[in-house]
């Protein structure tokens, strides 16, 4: 059936609106701060065959992640047998899921007795059991330590709760009311999506809607292929590194990608990536694919739809038993750090192909899960920190300060939400001066945040990155400052905290977290001196860094630029040559770039792009 282009465009926008309305319903109906505040959830519409029609503009790490989950549910519960009011649930990472806290719920959309679409949602649940509050133990060595694993099952049967499953869920988590409330938030989102899709089918008819979806996906594929075709053909290799796996803390983990562009097809081969790890940074194929899809979508631009058409030109090779394709039952709860580094590595490969278009590396988030049990009530209190890092500088623009950029794209959790649980006090929350990589365009700043445990001892799972590597700069830009953390005890002792650790913060102790800044773009000596002076006034750059790195001399009082002094100082600094910028350090020791086969080190150490 042929559908005119105007109708296809109208319906495409209708589907986007439905997916976004589902997302709004999901966020408003959910219970846990990680969903309603951090927005760690996604909504999408699918065809009965399991292809994405539209996905809400939410967190990119869920791009493509719902595909294998929905298709697995269809395999277990054929569409023809789905009844009105049914809802299906799963979270098994080795059977279509991502990690155990991410739970997928799928609901069929019926029109005239037939399933015409599927509504799918994914929510990061506050707790799914396991060894630590929040189900994110960074020292886990197998999935059994991470929480409750749910195979594809019926959550609702004809609109009624599956009481056996509900009872099982409630008995295996620390926050049963919150879990069930969040799951019904997903049901609310699916109900909204179902009603809206039924309205569209009632207005246009199932045949027109089906044909428009077919055309829409073809158009998205063509638009994506046009973007890929603009990349010069060739192979581009890039490696970046994770700090450690949370268990073996003295070993960097390499993510290596070979990007091959052939016309309008693009292939990503992860051969050479390190093997699966003992710790939980392993990334199952659905999450590996989401990092790839995110990187490609970022260069494709906002005008291309979030549907299955945009995935068709992309193919992957993921070596078995590797950190990007582990064997069961490897631990996977911290897979987000690997997904982010996958996207970073692809960004580095793209920087070689498109050196004038790709930004510097971003600082990335530093997350933590805080949990305690009130002895008076025996009730668990759990909250999450999604610390924001600096975005890498872009061609023509500074990086953005304090933003969860890239695959994650969640919001930070407000101070008030943290303190509402009564186990934490936020002593300080501010931008981190001098953390953005210097450049003609400065990298975005990371943050400094201090948590104090009040009343109770708090169990913490800290999950960070860029402690031992730095977000690389491009085109002469410097690397951003690495992340760090330390504990200041109530007794006055100070202890450094590695990037991944499970530990207890005693009442009165303070945890200080510093997130990484983004990399810089271009030579710092080419930055507008007035912009540097403005950064100093805004406390984004210190007066010392303005002089020693940017070559900017401030007039007495620091309110304006001494232009003759600046010109003279910059001439001297240019004559001395570029300053060396170390990229990787571990335990205070700089690691040599020689033999590590990584453009990441070269980009930061020599401030060049590819």
């Amino acid at each position: 059936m042929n559908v005119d282009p105007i109708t296809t465009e109208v319906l495409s926008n209708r589907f986007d609106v439905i997916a976004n309305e589902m997302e709004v319903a999901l966020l408003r109906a959910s219970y846990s701060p990680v969903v309603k505040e951090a927005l760690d959830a996604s909504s999408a519409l699918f065809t009965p065959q399991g292809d994405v029609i539209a996905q809400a503009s939410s967190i990119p790490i869920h791009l493509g992640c719902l595909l294998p989950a929905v298709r697995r549910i269809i395999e277990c519960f054929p569409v023809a047998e789905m009844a009105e009011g049914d809802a299906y649930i799963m979270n098994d990472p080795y059977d279509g899921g991502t990690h155990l806290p991410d739970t997928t719920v799928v609901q069929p959309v019926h029109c005239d007795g037939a399933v015409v679409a599927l509504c799918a949602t994914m929510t990061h649940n506050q707790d799914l059991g396991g060894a630590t509050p929040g189900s994110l133990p960074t020292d886990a060595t197998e999935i059994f330590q991470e929480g409750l694993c749910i195979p594809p099952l019926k959550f609702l049967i004809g609109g009624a709760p599956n009481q056996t499953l509900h009872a099982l869920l409630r008995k295996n988590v620390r926050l049963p009311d919150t879990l069930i409330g969040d799951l019904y938030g997903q049901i609310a989102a699916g109900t909204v999506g179902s009603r809206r899709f039924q309205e569209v089918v009632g207005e246009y008819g199932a045949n027109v809607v089906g044909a428009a979806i077919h055309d829409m996906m073809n158009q998205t594929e063509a638009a994506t292929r046009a973007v890929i075709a603009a990349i010069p053909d060739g192979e581009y290799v890039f490696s970046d590194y994770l700090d450690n796996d949370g268990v073996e803390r003295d070993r960097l983990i390499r993510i290596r990608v070979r990007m091959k562009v052939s016309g309008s097809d693009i292939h990503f081969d992860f051969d050479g990536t390190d093997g699966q790890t003992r710790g939980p940074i392993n990334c199952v194929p659905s999450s590996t694919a989401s990092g790839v899809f995110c990187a490609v979508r970022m260069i494709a631009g906002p005008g291309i739809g979030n549907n299955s058409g945009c995935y068709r030109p992309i193919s992957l090779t993921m070596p078995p038993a590797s950190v990007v394709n582990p064997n069961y039952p490897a631990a996977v709860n911290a897979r987000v750090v690997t997904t982010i580094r996958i996207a970073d590595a692809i960004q580095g490969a793209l920087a070689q192909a498109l050196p004038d278009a790709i930004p510097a590396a971003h600082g990335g988030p530093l997350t933590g899960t805080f949990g305690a049990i009130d002895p008076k009530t025996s009730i668990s209190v759990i909250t999450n920190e999604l610390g924001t890092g600096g975005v890498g500088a872009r061609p023509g623009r500074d990086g953005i300060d304090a933003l969860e950029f890239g695959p994650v794209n969640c919001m930070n959790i407000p101070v008030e939400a943290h303190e509402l649980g009564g186990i934490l006090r936020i002593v300080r929350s501010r931008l981190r001066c001098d953390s953005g990589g210097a450049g003609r365009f400065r990298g975005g700043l990371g943050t400094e945040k201090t948590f104090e445990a009040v009343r109770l001892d708090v169990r913490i799972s800290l999950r960070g990155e860029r402690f031992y590597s730095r977000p690389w700069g491009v085109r002469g830009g410097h690397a951003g400052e690495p992340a760090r953390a330390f504990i200041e005890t109530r007794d006055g002792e100070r202890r450094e905290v590695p990037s991944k650790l499970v530990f207890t913060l005693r009442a009165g102790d303070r945890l200080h977290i510093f997130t990484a800044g983004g990399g810089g773009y271009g030579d710092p000596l080419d930055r507008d001196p007035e912009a540097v002076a403005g950064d100093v006034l805004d406390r984004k750059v210190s007066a010392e860094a303005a002089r020693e790195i940017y070559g900017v001399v401030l007039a007495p009082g620091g309110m304006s630029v001494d232009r003759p002094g600046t010109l003279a100082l910059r001439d001297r600094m240019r004559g001395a040559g570029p300053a060396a910028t170390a990229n990787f350090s571990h335990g205070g020791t700089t690691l040599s770039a020689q033999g590590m086969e990584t453009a990441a080190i070269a980009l930061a150490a020599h401030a060049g792009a590819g």
Side-chain angles (χ1 to χ4, degrees):
M1 181 178 182
N2 294 323
V3 179
D4 65 271
I6 293 176
T7 299
T8 298
E9 183 67 18
V10 168
L11 287 174
S12 176
N13 283 276
R14 286 281 290 271
F15 299 142
D16 286 342
V17 168
I18 293 171
N20 285 314
E21 188 176 354
M22 288 172 62
E23 183 77 4
V24 171
L26 174 59
L27 300 176
R28 290 186 175 179
S30 295
Y31 282 38
S32 57
V34 73
V35 181
K36 65 185 180 182
E37 299 286 2
L39 315 187
D40 193 349
S42 289
S43 301
L45 289 171
F46 280 76
T47 67
Q49 295 75 37
D51 290 318
V52 181
I53 299 171
Q55 183 161 343
S57 301
S58 50
I59 62 173
I61 198 172
H62 288 171
L63 282 170
C65 275
L66 283 164
L67 272 167
V70 171
R71 289 176 177 173
R72 182 62 182 135
I73 286 174
I74 292 172
E75 289 176 5
C76 295
F77 301 97
V79 169
E81 299 174 11
M82 293 181 176
E84 292 192 44
D86 285 351
Y88 306 88
I89 185 173
M90 64 88 65
N91 76 342
D92 184 354
Y94 289 95
D95 202 16
T98 60
H99 66 164
L100 295 181
D102 282 350
T103 301
T104 299
V105 172
V106 175
Q107 297 160 255
V109 181
H110 285 81
C111 286
D112 298 325
V115 175
V116 293
L118 299 168
C119 293
T121 54
M122 179 181 285
T123 283
H124 180 111
N125 291 286
Q126 195 78 59
D127 184 82
L128 256 295
T132 60
S135 311
L136 297 170
T138 53
D139 57 357
T141 56
E142 57 183 7
I143 196 171
F144 307 111
Q145 300 163 339
E146 299 182 325
L148 183 64
C149 188
I150 308 167
L153 295 170
K154 284 189 177 183
F155 183 71
L156 299 180
I157 304 172
N162 179 345
Q163 296 290 1
T164 302
L165 177 59
H166 280 57
L168 180 68
L169 293 173
R170 296 185 70 91
K171 274 292 184 181
N172 282 275
V173 301
R174 295 174 178 85
L175 302 171
D177 291 341
T178 299
L179 172 63
I180 298 300
D182 283 349
L183 291 174
Y184 274 98
Q186 292 181 256
I187 295 296
T191 301
V192 168
S194 181
R195 289 174 181 170
R196 296 294 182 261
F197 199 89
Q198 287 168 341
E199 291 170 2
V200 172
V201 173
E203 184 177 348
Y204 287 90
N207 290 336
V208 171
V209 169
I213 291 170
H214 178 269
D215 292 347
M216 178 184 73
M217 290 186 186
N218 287 341
Q219 291 171 7
T220 297
E221 178 185 1
T224 305
R225 288 189 178 280
V227 170
I228 295 170
I231 303 172
D233 281 2
E235 294 190 2
Y236 308 91
V237 181
F238 195 97
S239 296
D240 210 333
Y241 287 79
L242 294 156
D243 288 347
N244 55 58
D245 70 353
V247 175
E248 298 177 0
R249 299 197 189 97
D250 59 351
R251 182 170 71 92
L252 296 171
I253 308 298
R254 181 170 71 169
I255 304 295
R256 183 177 187 268
V257 63
R258 180 182 297 274
M259 182 181 76
K260 183 177 181 179
V261 181
S262 302
S264 65
D265 291 304
I266 190 165
H267 181 75
F268 298 93
D269 186 347
F270 290 92
D271 187 40
T273 292
D274 281 350
Q276 71 183 59
T277 61
R278 289 184 62 206
I281 65 168
N282 297 295
C283 196
V284 294
S286 62
S287 294
T288 297
S290 74
V292 172
F293 294 152
C294 173
V296 175
R297 285 293 288 112
M298 284 196 291
I299 64 167
I304 294 177
N306 288 332
N307 61 58
S308 285
C310 68
Y311 307 139
R312 293 172 182 169
I314 304 168
S315 58
L316 288 77
T317 298
M318 297 173 282
S322 69
V323 72
V324 297
N325 185 13
N327 291 333
Y328 178 84
V332 299
N333 76 78
R335 63 74 175 97
V336 64
V337 300
T338 306
T339 305
I340 292 170
R341 198 61 71 246
I342 287 167
D344 287 348
I346 293 172
Q347 183 179 339
L350 286 166
Q352 299 171 48
L354 303 169
D356 297 318
I358 303 300
H362 63 97
L366 193 158
T367 63
T369 304
F370 302 78
I373 300 178
D374 192 326
K376 295 180 180 179
T377 62
S378 297
I379 295 175
S380 293
V381 180
I382 301 174
T383 186
N384 297 77
E385 165 64 6
L386 280 76
T388 52
V391 177
R394 301 155 286 174
R397 291 188 179 184
D398 290 345
I400 303 170
D401 301 326
L403 184 72
E404 282 221 357
F405 181 70
V408 181
N409 198 38
C410 288
M411 302 291 286
N412 65 303
I413 294 182
V415 168
E416 296 81 0
H418 276 306
E419 296 185 341
L420 191 63
I423 62 173
L424 293 172
R425 182 168 74 93
I426 309 303
V427 180
R428 179 182 294 112
S429 181
R430 64 187 183 188
L431 293 176
R432 184 185 176 194
C433 183
D434 284 337
S435 58
R440 180 180 181 184
F441 301 102
R442 175 184 46 75
L445 269 60
T447 59
E448 175 187 352
K449 203 166 186 177
T450 303
F451 300 81
E452 182 179 354
V454 296
R455 294 194 307 117
L456 306 171
D457 292 349
V458 178
R459 192 68 171 159
I460 299 175
S461 297
L462 191 69
R463 184 179 58 180
E465 272 296 332
R466 294 298 192 194
F467 277 51
Y468 309 127
S469 67
R470 300 174 65 178
W472 35 266
V474 295
R475 291 297 197 190
H478 291 195
E481 282 297 301
R484 60 188 291 254
F486 67 87
I487 296 169
E488 180 186 2
T489 73
R490 61 193 181 193
D491 303 322
E493 182 185 357
R494 175 167 166 165
R495 298 197 305 268
E496 292 293 322
V497 177
S499 64
K500 299 173 190 69
L501 188 69
V502 177
F503 60 99
T504 298
L505 199 68
R506 298 180 301 166
D509 290 353
R510 292 181 174 183
L511 172 65
H512 299 259
I513 291 176
F514 302 82
T515 62
Y521 190 100
D523 189 340
L525 298 181
D526 291 333
R527 184 165 177 79
D528 181 357
E530 295 296 338
V532 176
D535 285 341
V536 173
L537 289 174
D538 290 338
R539 299 182 182 178
K540 295 184 176 183
V541 172
S542 66
E544 294 77 13
R547 184 182 185 91
E548 295 172 9
I549 299 176
Y550 289 97
V552 172
V553 179
L554 299 177
M559 301 295 290
S560 60
V561 176
D562 176 351
R563 289 197 168 272
T566 295
L567 288 172
L569 177 58
R570 285 186 164 182
D571 284 345
R572 290 198 300 273
M573 293 175 71
R574 286 191 175 98
T581 307
N583 183 48
F584 285 80
S585 64
H586 192 275
T589 302
T590 300
L591 300 181
S592 170
Q594 185 176 6
M596 295 187 74
E597 300 179 5
T598 168
I601 295 176
L603 281 169
H606 305 297

